[in-house]
Amino acid sequence: MFQVGDRVRTRLMNPAGHTRLPVYLRGRVGRIEYLLGTLPFSDQRAAGVRSAKEAAYTVRFSTRDVWGADGDAHGSVCADLFESYLEASE
Amino acid sequence: MSHVHEASGSAANRVKTLVGALEDAHVLTERELDASIEAFLSRAQPANGGRIVARAWVDPEFRRRLLADGNAAVAELGIDLAHWAPVKLRVVANEPGRHNLIVCTLCSCYPLALLGPSPAWYKSNAYRSRAVRDPRGVLAEFGTQLGDDVEITVWDSTAEVRYLVLPQRPAGTKRATEDALAALVTRNGLIGTALV
């Protein structure tokens, strides 16, 4: 479980099947913005486990942390990500 | 619903083939399919979004509840999101110096119940890929010029959450009725590609 404000890093992953972790947000550091509770876990549902659920979080990433110096100086991207996409970050 | 992609010609062919296969297998008829699509869309209107925003502009307590729990707040206005799909609604508020923009980079998730069917550009690869990378540039192309100091948050709808932007109330509308305010709210204002 993560809490609002926790720093997290998204996993570098390239699964063969369905995932809702966008490529542009893999291996990036962000902060937990909002706890979404438990949501239907798309990755496993796509693999046939219809009842699969997992904790999910809105995670905020600074635009510069995603796109480097080419990113907007005053912006961020928020995405809704499942717990198994995330690991704690310093 | 949310997986409409470009190359609509080939998508239309695939849908036609799929419907044909389902009919052949006696899973459903085209008539049943039409009826369920009609039921799905019948209560999905952009006017719903306008009503929600207007209420939030005139009622600070409603605004607070809307930002805290979108589903419960819109239910107060008789809008039951479960009619469409069990999604969680989050409303994000524009404020002086802060702007919000909604996108779904993975497919085309959209608060259909509150905005009606999504516009073609929302589903385009161009919007979906550029909104997260250069939101200020995309907004400028929509005719929405934001100052360089305005912070933009882009909400990428990657799970079972749907986003709606609560625009700032326009100046000079102090005496407008709630209905008149609702009429000012545009679809693009609720997506964040325009101001209201």
Side-chain angles (χ1 to χ4, degrees):
Chain A
M1 268 309 270
F2 296 106
Q3 300 302 325
V4 170
D6 285 357
R7 273 166 67 86
V8 292
R9 180 184 290 275
T10 55
R11 293 182 193 280
L12 257 187
M13 53 185 244
N14 284 284
H18 182 79
T19 181
R20 296 286 185 88
L21 177 59
V23 172
Y24 79 97
L25 291 178
R26 294 181 191 174
R28 306 290 189 210
V29 173
R31 235 176 240 287
I32 301 288
E33 165 90 6
Y34 187 84
L35 310 183
L36 290 167
T38 304
L39 295 180
F41 185 34
S42 323
D43 303 37
Q44 284 187 17
R45 287 188 170 220
V49 187
R50 297 190 68 98
S51 60
K53 292 189 170 202
E54 192 169 295
Y57 306 85
T58 304
V59 184
R60 184 182 288 270
F61 302 87
S62 138
T63 313
R64 285 281 166 93
D65 287 344
V66 176
W67 305 111
D70 297 320
D72 197 285
H74 301 286
S76 48
V77 176
C78 290
D80 300 323
L81 303 177
F82 289 100
E83 178 139 1
S84 55
Y85 301 164
L86 306 173
E87 54 196 11
S89 170
E90 291 302 304
Chain B
M1 165 183 93
S2 51
H3 291 267
V4 181
H5 290 278
E6 281 175 310
S8 58
S10 71
N13 282 336
R14 287 202 297 274
V15 169
K16 211 170 158 187
T17 306
L18 180 60
V19 171
L22 291 169
E23 278 191 306
D24 291 346
H26 305 290
V27 174
L28 53 73
T29 66
E30 194 153 1
R31 187 187 293 257
E32 287 169 339
L33 187 63
D34 285 347
S36 67
I37 291 173
E38 198 162 304
F40 183 82
L41 291 176
S42 63
R43 283 183 266 169
Q45 298 160 1
N48 286 340
R51 277 169 63 210
I52 295 164
V53 167
R55 177 63 58 86
W57 284 344
V58 301
D59 181 347
E61 272 304 299
F62 177 78
R63 181 182 195 274
R64 191 188 56 72
R65 294 196 296 275
L66 181 66
L67 298 179
D69 182 345
N71 298 64
V74 305
E76 293 176 31
L77 303 183
I79 300 167
D80 177 13
L81 292 169
H83 172 68
W84 292 275
V87 292
K88 189 176 174 76
L89 174 68
R90 284 209 66 211
V91 179
V92 289
N94 287 346
E95 290 165 21
R98 284 168 185 259
H99 187 81
N100 295 283
L101 180 68
I102 293 165
V103 66
C104 171
T105 61
L106 295 178
C107 47
S108 53
C109 296
Y110 187 77
L112 188 145
L114 308 178
L115 297 183
S118 59
W121 59 258
Y122 186 84
K123 297 175 270 196
S124 71
N125 286 340
Y127 179 74
R128 289 161 47 210
S129 56
R130 292 186 56 219
V132 286
R133 191 170 178 280
D134 180 22
R136 214 172 291 269
V138 169
L139 285 168
E141 289 173 29
F142 274 92
T144 304
Q145 305 280 350
L146 297 181
D148 284 345
D149 55 335
V150 174
E151 274 187 53
I152 303 177
T153 299
V154 182
W155 301 84
D156 188 358
S157 326
T158 48
E160 309 307 306
V161 182
R162 298 294 177 270
Y163 287 90
L164 187 76
V165 173
L166 176 58
Q168 292 187 72
R169 182 169 174 166
T173 59
K174 222 170 195 172
R175 284 190 288 179
T177 64
E178 196 173 327
D179 284 348
L181 289 170
L184 296 176
V185 179
T186 59
R187 179 194 67 197
N188 286 15
L190 299 167
I191 301 172
T193 49
L195 305 176
V196 171

